[in-house]
């Protein structure tokens, strides 16, 4: 059984929106959004911690080199007209700290595209 489930990439924006954050034009899974509370409840019942990014890099598009960073705990989120494209440096550190004590890792997909 997992101790941690790290949600990153486009899927993480749906989790941020469920927390009341704005996600601009970032990927959003409307059908998945309806299941998030149940996912958190099941994880809590099994002692599994769900980790989502503490910061993300965002811009107007994948070719926009002017990346900005949102720190989720301090800000409302990603403004309209912008999209999240990658995890931020704080999240990289958070994941590194989790992985230091990991014996088995199952990885699915990228955490960003830039």
């Amino acid at each position: 059984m997992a101790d941690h489930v790290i949600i990153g990439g486009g899927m993480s924006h749906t989790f941020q929106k469920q927390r009341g954050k704005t996600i601009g034009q970032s990927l959003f899974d409307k059908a998945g959004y309806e299941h998030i509370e149940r996912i958190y409840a099941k994880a809590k019942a099994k002692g599994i911690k769900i980790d989502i990014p503490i910061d993300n890099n965002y811009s107007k598009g994948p070719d926009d080199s002017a990346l900005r960073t949102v720190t989720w705990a301090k800000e409302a989120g990603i403004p309209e007209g912008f999209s999240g494209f990658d995890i931020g440096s704080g999240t990289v550190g958070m994941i590194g700290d989790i992985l230091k004590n990991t014996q088995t890792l199952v990885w699915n997909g990228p955490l960003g595209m830039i």
Side-chain angles (χ1 to χ4, degrees):
M1 183 182 324
D3 294 322
H4 288 266
V5 174
I6 301 169
I7 306 291
M11 187 186 313
S12 70
H13 303 298
T14 301
F15 278 74
Q16 296 292 2
K17 187 170 180 78
Q18 189 269 343
R19 294 176 63 222
K21 301 295 184 174
T22 60
I23 60 168
Q25 306 310 118
S26 303
L27 291 175
F28 175 68
D29 179 1
K30 186 175 181 179
Y33 178 86
E34 304 299 325
H35 299 283
I36 292 176
E37 285 186 34
R38 184 174 51 84
I39 291 168
Y40 275 119
K42 282 188 169 188
K44 184 176 181 179
K46 294 180 182 225
I48 299 169
K49 184 168 185 330
I50 296 179
D51 299 286
I52 61 176
I54 58 174
D55 59 352
N56 277 94
N57 295 322
Y58 67 95
S59 65
K60 289 188 177 190
D63 298 325
D64 179 6
S65 61
L67 285 176
R68 298 142 183 97
T69 300
V70 59
T71 302
W72 292 107
K74 297 179 182 176
E75 299 171 56
I78 297 172
E80 284 301 317
F82 293 85
S83 298
F85 287 102
D86 211 342
I87 59 173
S89 61
T91 301
V92 170
M94 177 192 80
I95 292 171
D97 289 343
I98 293 168
L99 295 180
K100 286 177 187 173
N101 298 312
T102 299
Q103 294 180 348
T104 302
L105 172 67
V106 177
W107 192 282
N108 178 34
L111 295 177
M113 61 180 281
I114 297 179

